[in-house]
Each structure stands twice: as C-alpha cells, then as structure tokens.
C-alpha cells in the first residue's frame, strides 16, 4: 500500500446513537472529505466484535447493512477509490491474525483492560445467581482487544481515530507489534502512532465521549439499557428533544465546564460544540456565568432535533443496492491486501516456506 492507512470501525450490534454519530461517524466522514486522495481510508464494520456482549443475532446482518448506510447518509463518498468499506467477518485474515497475536500477548496486559472490567462487571450484575456470575462473561469479551489489534496491524494502519475508552487497546496493538518485530528481527508490522499523536491528527485534545443524558458519569452507550439517556438516530426529533429537556444536571445553577462537579452540564456543552463544530472551550465561554439550565437544554434540544431531521431525510434516500455493491467490491480488494500481509507473517513464524 503506497498511502498511509487510516482505519476506523464501529460495532454493528445495534443501531447507532447520537454519541456514535457526533464522536466517530461525522469526524471520520469529515476526514475523508479533508484527506481524499492523500490517505487510504479503511472504514470497516467489526461485526465479529458485535457479539462480545449479548445481542439479537437474527438482526445482525441487516443491522450491519443499515449501519453502513448511516455512514453514507452522514456524507461518506462511496465512489472514492482510496476508501475501503468492508465487513470484518468477510476477511478471514482478521481471525487468523488474532489467534497469532494472542500467542504473543500476555494475560496480565489483557486482564488490565478497563473496558473488560467495566463490561464484565455489568454482565455479572445482571445475574441473580452469584455462583454463576463469572460464567456469563465470555472469553470473547476478554480477548477482543487482540482481535482489534489484528484489525489494525493487518493493514499497517498508522492512524486509528478512537474514542477515549479505546486508548488501552491502541497501546496493546503497539506493544504486540513491537514485541513481534523484535522477536523475529524484522518489520512484520507498522507501529500505529501513539495516542497523543492520534489526537493531534484529528485536531482534538482528548477523545470525544458523549455521556448519557440520565447518568452523565458514564458514556452514552448502545450496550447499556439506558433508553432515557441515549438518543438513537432513529428517534423522532420530538422524542430526542424530550430526552434532552429531561437531562440530569445539578443544583448549582451556574453553567460551567466541569466534568467532575457538573458532568451533565458539561455534556450538554459538548453536544453543542460537536454539532456546531466549535471547540468546547469556545462554547463554554459563551455560556460561562449563565444560570438558566432550561435555556441551555432548549438550545441543545433544538440543535439535536434539526440534526436528526436532516439526517433522517438523507438516510431515507440512501440506495441499498449501491451500498451492497460497494461492500462486495471492496471486500474482494481488501482480501487481497490482507492475505498478502498474513502470508508474510506466516512465513516469519514458520507456517509457510
């Protein structure tokens, strides 16, 4: 591959929500517009990651297609020859490389992953029988950072725009790549850039993390049962506005950007900043010293309602046949790239001559 690779993906276990859209989808679409022709952009659907937590498997295939259509509605140009859109499960090299990487990853470094601790504790808490708690946490949930490392290293991706909660996974990919390069005394893998450099690349001082409207101490999530705190992209504008107007705030009656003392208010300021494409510092400055929480909520509600109205109109016009054709064509091309990389690794490990 002659161009540096930017790689990103979002699980297809359910429909996307506002946090996905503002924090990951729009930034990636904007990167494509800004960097078209300068980089190879891999926008893949990690469908194998989707069932690390319980999902409705009957809807997985359709949900995958629907989520690709969301990218198109957000402005992704399917005709860009440097952009590849593909499903993880349609490229078997991902799974084989994940097994190889798992044999060079250490139990200690995987068990320290905070995402595993967080998600496994949530799965445990839903089980009434304490003696069976740990049996409900799958090995897939434990191992999925290794599959994520394979997703990245298979394409020598230097640029991996990620949410703040994925920072440890990027570090794992870097550590395993360095470890294997050193062990086999050759550059098997390109080392992804570090977290700080990734943020500078996408012009952010930290990863965007939209919070739940009801429990602003945790992120907005499609894997948590939090309907009142999560705005789905399929919500009607009026439904979304009601959720915003009911958002949890505080009793301080002073609008400030303070994630520790005022996470709900800070979250609303962040949503304004992302929709208006301003820095959160600028938005916070515009509201600094004001005391009317209802006014702040109304502003956010209006912005979110307009965004959903525009987005849903565009989504209804996305051609599914064109989307499927793009997936099929790109999956043929990406398999050639991935298999060539895998063969090089297999040779280094003594699996091939």
């Amino acid at each position: 591959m002659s161009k540096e690779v930017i790689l990103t993906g979002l699980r297809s276990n359910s429909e996307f929500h506002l946090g996905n859209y503002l924090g990951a989808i729009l930034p990636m679409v904007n990167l494509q517009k800004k960097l078209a022709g300068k980089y190879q952009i891999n926008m893949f659907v990690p469908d194998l990651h989707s069932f690390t937590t319980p999902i409705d498997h009957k809807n997985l295939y359709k949900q995958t297609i629907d989520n690709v259509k969301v990218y198109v509605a957000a402005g992704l140009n399917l005709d860009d020859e440097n952009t590849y859109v593909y499903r993880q499960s349609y490229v078997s090299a991902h799974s084989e490389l994940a097994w190889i990487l798992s044999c060079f990853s250490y139990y200690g470094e995987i068990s320290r992953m905070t995402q595993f601790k967080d998600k496994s504790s949530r799965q445990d808490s839903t089980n009434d029988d304490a003696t069976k708690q740990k049996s409900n946490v799958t090995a897939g949930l434990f191992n999925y950072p290794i599959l994520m490392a394979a997703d990245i290293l298979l394409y020598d991706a230097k640029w991996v725009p990620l949410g703040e909660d994925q920072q440890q996974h990027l570090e794992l990919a870097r550590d395993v790549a360095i470890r294997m390069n050193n062990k086999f005394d050759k550059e098997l893998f390109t080392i992804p850039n570090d977290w700080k450099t990734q943020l500078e690349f996408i012009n952010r001082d930290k990863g965007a993390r939209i919070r739940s409207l009801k429990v602003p101490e945790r992120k907005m999530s499609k894997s948590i049962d939090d309907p009142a705190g999560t705005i789905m992209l399929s919500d009607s504008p009026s439904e979304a506005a009601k959720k915003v107007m009911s958002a949890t705030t505080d009793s301080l009656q002073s609008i400030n950007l303070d994630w520790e003392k005022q996470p709900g208010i800070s979250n609303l300021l962040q949503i304004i900043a992302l929709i208006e494409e301003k820095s959160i510092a600028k938005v916070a400055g515009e509201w600094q010293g004001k005391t009317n929480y209802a006014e702040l909520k109304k502003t956010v509600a209006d912005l979110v309602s307009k965004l959903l109205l525009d987005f849903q109109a565009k989504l209804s016009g996305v051609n599914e046949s064109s989307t499927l054709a793009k997936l099929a064509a790109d999956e043929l091309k990406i398999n050639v790239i991935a298999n060539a990389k895998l063969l090089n690794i297999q040779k280094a490990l003594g699996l091939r001559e």
Side-chain angles (χ1 to χ4, degrees):
M1 294 176 285
S2 58
K3 294 181 173 66
E4 289 187 357
V5 176
I6 304 171
L7 182 140
T8 189
L10 284 174
R11 292 201 306 164
S12 55
N13 53 310
S14 65
E15 65 173 296
F16 292 139
H17 55 67
L18 183 69
N20 300 139
Y21 191 74
L22 295 177
I25 297 170
L26 277 184
M28 203 61 219
V29 169
N30 289 335
L31 267 183
Q32 186 204 41
K33 293 175 181 177
K34 178 182 177 182
L35 303 175
K38 299 178 182 178
Y39 292 83
Q40 175 181 312
I41 301 176
N42 288 17
M43 300 188 69
F44 80 112
V45 182
D47 49 358
L48 292 173
H49 285 299
S50 294
F51 40 90
T52 54
T53 52
I55 64 164
D56 181 359
H57 289 271
K58 293 179 181 178
N59 291 326
L60 179 57
Y61 181 84
K62 181 180 184 301
Q63 191 64 63
T64 297
I65 305 304
D66 289 346
N67 285 2
V68 175
K69 290 164 66 176
V70 168
Y71 275 98
V72 180
L76 182 69
N77 179 12
L78 293 183
D79 296 325
D80 178 31
E81 64 180 11
N82 295 301
T83 298
Y84 293 85
V85 185
Y86 57 96
R87 291 161 288 190
Q88 183 186 41
S89 68
Y90 280 65
V91 186
S92 59
H94 285 251
S95 300
E96 182 166 348
L97 181 57
W99 170 253
I100 291 171
L101 296 181
S102 72
C103 295
F104 295 90
S105 302
Y106 302 144
Y107 175 83
E109 62 190 352
I110 304 299
S111 61
R112 286 193 295 270
M113 297 287 161
T114 55
Q115 272 240 324
F116 170 74
K117 293 178 181 177
D118 180 41
K119 290 185 177 181
S120 62
S121 65
R122 277 194 244 120
Q123 288 187 36
D124 285 349
S125 67
T126 63
N127 191 333
D128 293 332
D129 188 346
T131 64
K132 296 181 180 178
Q133 285 183 351
K134 287 301 179 185
S135 66
N136 281 354
V137 179
T138 68
L141 180 61
F142 183 77
N143 290 329
Y144 99 88
I146 301 173
L147 178 56
M148 184 174 169
D151 300 333
I152 297 168
L153 300 178
L154 193 57
Y155 304 100
D156 292 318
K158 293 183 69 174
W159 304 105
V160 192
L162 295 167
E164 185 178 7
D165 55 340
Q166 300 287 329
Q167 180 178 353
Q168 283 184 309
H169 300 165
L170 175 64
E171 292 170 353
L172 174 69
R174 286 170 49 83
D175 290 344
V176 175
I178 292 169
R179 186 176 301 146
M180 292 185 68
N181 285 355
N182 291 340
K183 180 176 179 62
F184 295 98
D185 196 26
K186 59 176 62 179
E187 192 175 336
L188 287 176
F189 302 109
T190 296
I191 310 302
N193 286 313
D194 61 31
W195 175 247
K196 181 180 179 181
T197 306
Q198 301 284 353
L199 293 180
E200 291 171 351
F201 183 68
I202 57 176
N203 295 317
R204 285 188 183 163
D205 57 358
K206 64 183 296 186
R209 193 181 187 194
I210 307 299
R211 308 290 184 89
S212 163
L213 294 172
K214 298 305 289 185
V215 189
E217 292 78 16
R218 70 187 186 197
K219 74 172 185 176
M220 189 176 288
S221 174
K222 55 190 177 183
S223 61
I224 300 175
D225 185 19
D226 182 29
T230 302
I231 295 176
M232 308 307 297
L233 294 183
S234 60
D235 284 351
S236 69
S238 60
E239 287 173 334
K242 288 179 182 177
K243 290 181 181 181
V244 173
M245 296 305 295
S246 299
T248 299
T249 51
D250 53 63
S251 59
L252 298 178
Q253 291 303 307
S254 178
I255 297 175
N256 301 287
L257 180 63
D258 188 329
W259 288 106
E260 294 298 321
K261 296 179 180 178
Q262 296 185 272
I265 291 296
S266 300
N267 192 39
L268 294 174
L269 294 172
Q270 178 176 235
I271 292 172
I272 294 174
L274 290 171
I275 293 177
E276 294 187 339
E277 298 184 345
K278 297 178 180 178
S279 73
I280 191 170
K282 179 175 175 60
V283 171
E286 293 170 354
W287 286 88
Q288 184 75 38
K290 294 184 179 181
T291 60
N292 192 332
Y293 286 8
E295 180 187 0
L296 176 63
K297 290 182 178 182
K298 181 66 165 56
T299 298
V300 176
D302 289 345
L303 286 171
V304 170
S305 296
K306 184 178 185 305
L307 181 149
L308 288 178
L309 191 66
D310 293 345
F311 165 77
Q312 290 168 2
K314 292 175 182 175
L315 182 63
S316 66
V318 174
N319 185 290
E320 185 163 318
S321 295
S322 298
T323 304
L324 289 169
K326 171 66 173 176
L327 282 168
D330 283 1
E331 283 160 359
L332 285 174
K333 297 173 185 175
I334 214 73
N335 264 290
V336 173
I337 296 171
N339 288 336
K341 180 68 175 181
L342 181 60
L343 178 60
N344 186 48
I345 297 161
Q346 290 168 330
K347 288 178 178 179
L349 272 62
L351 295 169
R352 301 288 186 273
E353 285 194 61

